[in-house]
Amino acid sequence: MYDLAIVGGGPAGVAAGVYAARKRLKTVFIAETVGGQSTDSVEIQNWIGTQKISGLDLAKQLEAHLKAYTADVVDLKLGARAEKVTKIDGGFALDVKGEKIEAKSVLIATGGSRRKLDVPGAMQFENKGLTYCASCDGPLFSGQDVVVVGAGNAGFESAAQLLAYCKSVTLLNRSSDFSKADASTVQTVSAHPNFTALNDTVITEVKGENFVKGISIKNTKTGETSELPAAGIFVEIGMISATGLVEGLVDMNEQKKIKVDAKTQRTSVEGIWSAGDCSDGLYHQNNIAAGDAVKALEDIYYWLRAR
């Protein structure tokens, strides 16, 4: 039985793997790929210590860092998927490609995937002006007109970031109000002179040549269609959490994110921790995911030593 099973290969999982190795915890690291959602980013400018790096290069660096520390301490099972976690005597069993792997503790760092924009042109212009991360890609659109699709907290928070350097930000809201966002956030962002919100409006097509040049939109009440020029499209229509492997085992919120204690990253089940985008933290970024995983590892280490 391993001391720890880490599930997930993004910044959270890799940070946990490095710390587990340094603490000499006998660990199994299970991930289909290394890198997480950032592998889709053309350029990342907020990974601390690195001025800019592509998502693919970040993934390579994460994997190299992990492998440099694994030695005889961390067993890597890359290209593998953990299907289910079950409570057993003394720990947990994980189903991995029909194999049963047992561990005293588990860190779930499986992240999730952005809900994709399903309109003509969206796939064609992904990473060519259409992006799913304002924190990662926003500065690339400095001084330009951009659009945010989605009017929840994530949409308004992205708009707030973009207003710091973009010429204008137009937010598309498919509803008539902003009930999915905090009123104070809505009020603050809406007061900015370069911000516009279009209610009852959906995007119907992304247009451009080599890169995005604009979008087609439709008013859902009047049926009126129009064109809106834009250099960047930032999509914030939700995430699909990859937490099915512990569904019914640990407590989750309505978005299927794992509820954790913010001080320790502990879940509702003794012996299971979670970090990164699959947890219910208020903010989700690479640096936050890595930090939360380190926090979890510190707690896991002392928890194991106290057994």
Side-chain angles (χ1 to χ4, degrees):
M1 180 178 281
Y2 289 97
D3 290 324
L4 170 65
I6 298 171
V7 187
V14 172
V18 170
Y19 268 69
R22 290 175 61 83
K23 291 180 178 299
R24 306 297 294 176
L25 297 178
K26 187 60 179 174
T27 301
V28 58
F29 183 97
I30 306 163
E32 293 183 271
T33 58
V34 173
Q37 296 177 61
S38 291
T39 54
D40 294 330
S41 295
V42 176
E43 187 172 280
I44 299 166
Q45 298 181 340
N46 62 342
W47 181 244
I48 301 303
T50 305
Q51 289 185 4
K52 57 183 178 180
I53 187 171
S54 72
L56 290 176
D57 285 340
L58 176 61
K60 291 176 183 177
Q61 287 191 8
L62 289 173
E63 186 168 350
H65 194 175
L66 177 63
K67 288 181 175 178
Y69 281 89
T70 53
D72 60 337
V73 182
V74 178
D75 290 341
L76 297 180
K77 290 190 177 293
L78 301 182
R81 178 185 178 87
E83 301 289 346
K84 189 174 179 61
V85 179
T86 307
K87 186 80 175 71
I88 60 172
D89 288 341
F92 303 89
L94 294 87
D95 293 336
V96 183
K97 286 187 174 180
E99 177 187 2
K100 287 282 189 183
I101 296 175
E102 297 183 355
K104 299 172 186 175
S105 60
V106 179
L107 174 66
I108 305 297
T110 45
S113 57
R114 295 275 183 168
R115 197 177 298 279
K116 298 289 185 176
L117 185 63
D118 185 19
V119 299
M123 184 176 295
Q124 176 186 350
F125 290 105
E126 191 166 321
N127 295 322
K128 296 178 181 177
L130 188 148
T131 177
Y132 292 83
C133 183
S135 299
C136 307
D137 302 325
L140 301 175
F141 297 87
S142 180
Q144 301 182 69
D145 299 309
V146 300
V147 170
V148 174
V149 182
N153 277 328
F156 273 93
E157 287 163 6
S158 291
Q161 293 181 56
L162 294 167
L163 284 165
Y165 29 75
C166 292
K167 181 180 178 182
S168 72
V169 177
T170 301
L171 182 142
L172 305 186
N173 177 23
R174 67 185 304 119
S175 302
S176 299
D177 56 39
F178 303 117
S179 58
K180 293 184 178 180
D182 294 332
S184 59
T185 303
V186 173
Q187 184 176 10
T188 300
V189 175
S190 298
H192 198 288
N194 298 333
F195 175 80
T196 302
L198 299 178
N199 291 338
D200 303 305
T201 302
V202 295
I203 181 171
T204 57
E205 186 177 359
V206 180
K207 295 185 173 182
E209 294 176 2
N210 294 325
F211 292 90
V212 168
K213 286 194 172 182
I215 60 174
S216 298
I217 58 176
K218 178 181 179 179
N219 184 293
T220 56
K221 282 192 172 180
T222 66
E224 181 183 355
T225 61
S226 57
E227 304 293 314
L228 184 64
I233 313 298
F234 293 83
V235 182
E236 292 290 356
I237 55 176
M239 281 192 62
I240 302 171
S241 301
T243 54
L245 75 168
V246 288
E247 190 167 1
L249 178 61
V250 300
D251 290 346
M252 299 183 188
N253 65 14
E254 292 179 355
Q255 289 76 44
K256 302 292 185 183
K257 291 182 182 293
I258 300 170
K259 292 183 178 181
V260 296
D261 178 345
K263 291 182 178 180
T264 61
Q265 301 300 123
R266 293 190 184 197
T267 72
S268 59
V269 174
E270 182 83 4
I272 299 181
W273 285 254
S274 182
D277 287 7
C278 64
S279 66
D280 71 340
L282 182 57
Y283 302 108
H284 295 288
Q285 293 183 22
N286 285 340
N287 294 298
I288 295 171
D292 284 350
V294 171
K295 186 198 310 179
L297 252 293
E298 294 290 348
D299 197 55
I300 290 168
Y301 177 79
Y302 287 111
W303 182 85
L304 286 168
R305 291 293 173 264
R307 282 167 62 93

